[in-house]
Amino acid sequence: MTSLRALVLAVVLIPSLAGAQALTPAERARHAADSAAAALIADSVAGVVIGVFRGTTREFTSAYGYADVAARRRMTADAEMPIASITKQFVAAGVLALVDEGRVNLDDQIAKHLPPMSAHGNVTVRQLLHQTSGIGRYESAIQTRLLSSTDDVVQVIAEAPVEFQPGERFSYNNANYLLLGALIERVTGQRWDEYLGARFFARVGMAHTRGCPDGAEPGSVVGYMSAGGPRVRRARLPLVLTGASGGLCSTAADLARWSVALHGGELLSPAGTAAMITPLPLPAQAGAGAYAMGTVVSMLDGHRELWHNGALSSGFHSMLAYYPDDSLTVVVLTNTFPKRPEPAARAVARAWFGVQPVAAPAVASHAAAAQSPLPLAAYAGVYSVGPLRFTVSVANDALTLVDPNGSSMALQSAGVHTFASVRDSTFKVLFDVTDGRVTQLRIDSPRAKAPPVPRVADTP
């Protein structure tokens, strides 16, 4: 192992272990992402994407596990997935854009734009945005109704019994944003997602964000449910049901572009941008923060945090967090419900900030190893570039790495496509995978690194 480290240190021109630099924020975040993803996959999550962006610069986007377990199709860093209730942030911005244009007023009664809501005539647009409208819940009613249009959904909501008087308190309710989507359609004459695409997505360069198609397209990410039993494949929900409350699909990179443009004031007036992140002065009951307009406002270890999460019973869970004082965006997308991605996102953010120690990914248990995305033999082979030549072999259900000087190192699982030295868990070998095939390895530890080393032969 000593000779291997010496070789790696020479390649990357690090003069000595004593003089080596501490991990950068991006390196800390990547370690935390590997650990968080390993924990999620060990907890039956099929696939995970974790992205970290500084401004519009992608620090890294890592994919773990499977987009389709049965087909053994790997998750990819740019996978497009349903983002569920993160959609609400886009819809809120869409309504505020109409306010900027003078086509809607925040204090308009919703019945002005949606006549079927006349029985709720004192509910305002502002209250819908803040989730303080008190309108009833529609979920139980749709079980017995055939819905084919936004108008059908509005009618169901209009008939639901009210929860409380408008403005009395906060109550997170998908119906609020379904009505806002209907408002956008009535005012613009466009379907709500098409309006958002023309108004925002094209402008920001979000080429992979759209209203989710009805049903799964060939090659799309499959959703799963895992709630105390075997993981079960789920069917996609039709867009008419999720609608403006949770019907968009996107990618980690597109969500980062959105965060920077929105909170940087590129998409709305200063008043509109401020409204997005200004909660009402009442108990918002939004977890660790206060609900503004499609955005939860909170603090994470002294850093301002603007976020929204999303969950769909069709098998998707997501988290988008933006830290404005740090120009940092963290995105976590998963294709398994109801395993929560928020702790993973915050662990990555805390690692970036350096407010918690970064541990190497925990060694996989036998149960987790049984769900390993690739058999050990898939990593075996010869990896070579310049003076570096490594061989990886399999024996007795374990990997062994041999360096160019002939020194061998026993490896143990330390996450998805990640193995650590049995003697030193901080010294890791990371394998890159493309289309289910291992293509290269990287050496990574707090004290030594090597550039990617391509795989040149499948067997040692």
Side-chain angles (χ1 to χ4, degrees):
M1 185 170 66
T2 302
S3 60
L4 174 61
R5 281 186 174 162
L7 176 61
V8 172
L9 291 174
V11 170
V12 295
L13 302 180
I14 300 176
S16 69
L17 293 179
Q21 297 295 312
L23 290 177
T24 66
E27 290 167 336
R28 293 195 303 264
R30 187 186 287 273
H31 281 299
D34 289 346
S35 292
L40 284 168
I41 288 176
D43 196 25
S44 296
V45 171
V48 184
V49 174
I50 300 179
V52 172
F53 304 80
R54 186 73 182 273
T56 57
T57 300
R58 185 196 302 241
E59 296 290 343
F60 67 86
T61 309
S62 298
Y64 312 82
Y66 287 105
D68 185 335
V69 175
R72 310 301 287 175
R73 179 160 48 83
R74 296 283 303 156
M75 186 67 78
T76 61
D78 291 315
E80 179 186 300
M81 281 186 267
I83 59 172
S85 285
I86 294 175
T87 299
K88 292 179 174 68
Q89 192 168 99
F90 295 88
V91 172
V95 172
L96 288 168
L98 295 176
V99 172
D100 285 344
E101 296 167 4
R103 304 168 74 181
V104 173
N105 189 294
L106 285 175
D107 294 316
D108 284 346
Q109 294 182 348
I110 188 60
K112 172 182 176 180
H113 303 284
L114 301 175
M117 294 297 295
S118 58
H120 305 269
N122 52 349
V123 170
T124 67
V125 173
R126 188 190 304 273
Q127 289 164 342
L128 293 172
L129 286 163
H130 280 296
Q131 306 254 26
T132 60
S133 70
I135 62 172
R137 298 183 180 275
Y138 74 103
E139 285 85 355
S140 60
I142 64 172
Q143 304 299 324
T144 59
R145 300 279 285 270
L146 179 63
L147 306 178
S148 60
S149 69
T150 300
D151 288 343
D152 292 340
V153 176
V154 171
Q155 189 60 47
V156 170
I157 295 171
E159 296 170 3
V162 300
E163 285 193 309
F164 52 84
Q165 289 302 305
E168 182 178 282
R169 58 185 173 88
F170 172 90
S171 179
Y172 188 91
N173 185 349
N174 287 329
N176 289 314
Y177 276 75
L178 288 169
L179 290 177
L180 291 170
L183 164 68
I184 289 173
E185 294 185 357
R186 183 61 62 93
V187 172
T188 67
Q190 296 176 275
R191 202 172 75 174
W192 66 270
D193 55 317
E194 293 172 349
Y195 166 76
L196 294 177
R199 181 65 174 77
F200 297 133
F201 305 158
R203 179 176 176 180
V204 176
M206 298 169 63
H208 303 286
T209 302
R210 56 178 174 152
C212 295
D214 290 341
E217 298 174 322
S220 63
V221 177
V222 175
Y224 298 88
M225 178 175 283
S226 178
R231 189 169 50 209
V232 178
R233 185 182 181 121
R234 300 284 288 177
R236 293 280 185 102
L237 294 173
L239 185 59
V240 70
L241 294 184
T242 53
S245 71
L248 288 181
C249 284
S250 190
T251 66
D254 271 12
L255 291 174
R257 294 185 185 98
W258 167 257
S259 289
V260 172
L262 173 66
H263 298 299
E266 298 177 25
L267 303 179
L268 300 172
S269 68
T273 302
M276 287 282 296
I277 60 172
T278 304
L280 289 177
L282 53 78
Q285 302 173 23
Y291 204 91
M293 294 183 177
T295 306
V296 184
V297 181
S298 57
M299 298 290 291
L300 182 69
D301 298 307
H303 300 259
R304 285 195 300 154
E305 182 184 51
L306 309 174
W307 61 276
H308 210 295
N309 56 0
L312 285 173
S313 60
S314 55
F316 296 92
H317 229 312
S318 54
M319 174 68 168
L320 169 64
Y322 180 69
Y323 302 89
D325 299 325
D326 307 275
S327 299
L328 181 71
T329 302
V330 178
V331 183
V332 180
L333 305 175
T334 79
N335 62 335
T336 305
F337 175 88
K339 310 299 183 180
R340 302 192 67 89
E342 300 89 347
R346 292 192 170 110
V348 171
R350 287 187 170 106
W352 178 281
F353 300 141
V355 297
Q356 69 180 27
V358 181
V363 174
S365 66
H366 290 299
Q371 301 171 20
S372 177
L374 290 176
L376 290 180
Y379 302 98
V382 178
Y383 299 78
S384 179
V385 62
L388 293 175
R389 180 181 174 87
F390 303 102
T391 61
V392 179
S393 59
V394 182
N396 299 321
D397 294 323
L399 288 184
T400 298
L401 177 74
V402 179
D403 74 11
N405 294 328
S407 298
S408 64
M409 176 191 298
L411 301 176
Q412 60 189 355
S413 177
V416 180
H417 303 315
T418 302
F419 295 81
S421 165
V422 170
R423 296 181 180 178
D424 179 1
S425 64
T426 69
F427 194 87
K428 295 189 297 181
V429 182
L430 295 82
F431 294 90
D432 295 329
V433 178
T434 302
D435 295 329
R437 184 180 184 277
V438 178
T439 58
Q440 59 188 18
L441 65 74
R442 291 174 285 128
I443 305 297
D444 186 19
S445 88
R447 296 174 297 279
K449 297 189 180 298
V453 182
R455 186 181 191 182
V456 297
D458 291 343
T459 56

